[in-house]
Amino acid sequence: MGVNLRGRSFLKLLDFTSEEIRYLLDLSKDYKALKRAGIKHKNLEGKNIAILFEKDSTRTRCAFEVGAMDLGMGVTYLGPTGYQMGKKESIADTARVLGRMYDGIEYRGFSQSIVEELANYAGVPVWNGLTDEFHPTQILADLLTIEEKFGKLKGVNFVYIGDARNNMGNSLMVACAKMGLNFTSCAPKELFPSQELVSKCKEIADKNGCTITLTENVMEGTKNADVIYTDVWVSMGEPDEVWEDRIKQLKPYQVNADIMKNANPQAIFMHCLPSFHDLKTKIGAEMGEKFGITEMEVTNEVFESKKSVVFDEAENRMHTIKAIMAATIGQ
Ligand code: CP
Ligand code: NVA
């Protein structure tokens, strides 16, 4: 049976079959080829989208804006202040208002339940641009990047190292289980993903002939890795007080040259960005001074090395988000 995603929301990868994810990846490749060839693709001319951001963003916001404009759509950006939702108007009422005016709605914010509620009431597709629990549009870009580098997804050994229970750790584990990559979470036990999600992913992985492993041991965990993936140690929305403990917990899990050497010779380094790989940011400099460190989740050496594909991932955000919008609004 053909895949038809028209009218569907994109809230988390658990809601999508492997075939549907494959369809979105193939569509992303088509859009990337059109963009590279300079061929116009204004398939959604006359449509409009609203993008709601309760947290900061560079990649996700720009990918939605440029993606929408390339597809011929109008875009309204609503930032953390200046609109009514949450203060004077409920999520359900906001969703019903926006659904009367727009053909699709993106939401970045806090609890997954907010994006789910928006989707329940909007009557148009709602896309999750990051919640505390999941970041599914990022994952599609990551899968596309891995496939471009290795020519396949199935059987690739994927290691996520760091805060394994944040939105990235959760979403990548689901994606690997769905698409046949062997997934390892390498983290201190306190930062392992929830047992409930691990069990769900193990069930999916079993069906797809791949594995889910959790380990605290860095050298064991990263051995034979094709992909070493990390993310910031403290995510947006977490209180500043957690920095000190998190740095102590995760310092041994910093991605450095030894870890990359321990992985397979062709291994690549991935990160959703933004990244604290030097002191050239306000928070990086602040933490550097407070805790005597010069780099956090990844060393500058690895970040800037040939193995690092982080900017390919960033570009792929746009091609994949375009595919999600086109497939769900209806091309
Ligand atoms: N990776 C990612 O979502 O980046 P932004 O926070 O800049 O959107
Ligand atoms: N885990 C990070 C991802 C940023 C794209 C955060 O939520 O801040």
Side-chain angles (χ1 to χ4, degrees), residues 129-331:
L130 180 148
T131 59
D132 292 341
E133 291 92 333
F134 295 110
H135 193 6
T137 63
Q138 173 70 49
I139 304 321
L140 222 51
D142 297 335
L143 291 174
L144 178 61
T145 309
I146 295 169
E147 196 159 72
E148 285 172 347
K149 302 299 168 195
F150 293 103
K152 62 174 187 176
L153 293 176
K154 270 197 190 312
V156 166
N157 295 327
F158 185 105
V159 178
Y160 179 86
I161 182 164
D163 180 3
R165 35 105 261 180
N166 73 9
N167 40 23
M168 288 305 305
N170 288 342
S171 311
L172 286 165
M173 179 165 67
V174 175
C176 288
K178 293 251 175 193
M179 302 311 286
L181 294 82
N182 299 311
F183 180 86
T184 300
S185 260
C186 187
K189 263 206 176 74
E190 317 84 81
L191 297 177
F192 277 178
S194 75
Q195 198 43 58
E196 192 192 343
L197 188 62
V198 171
S199 303
K200 237 183 238 174
C201 288
K202 278 194 171 161
E203 233 174 78
I204 301 169
D206 273 353
K207 284 193 200 121
N208 291 325
C210 58
T211 56
I212 304 285
T213 309
L214 307 183
T215 179
E216 288 194 290
N217 188 310
V218 174
M219 283 301 145
E220 230 172 76
T222 55
K223 204 165 157 36
N224 298 324
D226 297 311
V227 178
I228 302 279
Y229 199 117
T230 193
D231 184 18
V232 288
W233 288 345
V234 176
S235 284
M236 290 183 281
E238 292 196 281
D240 282 351
E241 297 80 76
V242 305
W243 271 107
E244 186 168 5
D245 279 349
R246 207 56 69 67
I247 288 173
K248 273 190 210 133
Q249 283 173 308
L250 288 174
K251 188 81 199 357
Y253 296 85
Q254 179 186 62
V255 179
N256 56 29
D258 287 341
I259 288 182
M260 293 310 295
K261 257 186 231 129
N262 188 49
N264 279 338
Q266 79 284 6
I268 57 173
F269 168 72
M270 298 182 76
H271 192 310
C272 55
L273 305 181
S275 159
F276 296 116
H277 57 95
D278 57 28
L279 298 179
K280 293 179 188 161
T281 61
K282 193 166 165 265
I283 295 176
E286 220 173 280
M287 296 307 147
E289 194 170 316
K290 229 173 171 171
F291 302 112
I293 47 170
T294 53
E295 37 206 7
M296 282 194 246
E297 71 274 8
V298 56
T299 61
N300 198 47
E301 184 186 4
V302 170
F303 186 90
E304 295 292 355
S305 72
K306 286 209 170 67
K307 289 179 176 289
S308 172
V309 300
V310 297
F311 298 109
D312 296 322
E313 290 175 83
E315 179 192 329
N316 283 338
R317 297 299 308 285
M318 186 192 49
H319 306 301
T320 45
I321 280 175
K322 208 182 266 181
I324 294 164
M325 291 192 291
T328 55
I329 292 180
Q331 300 183 65

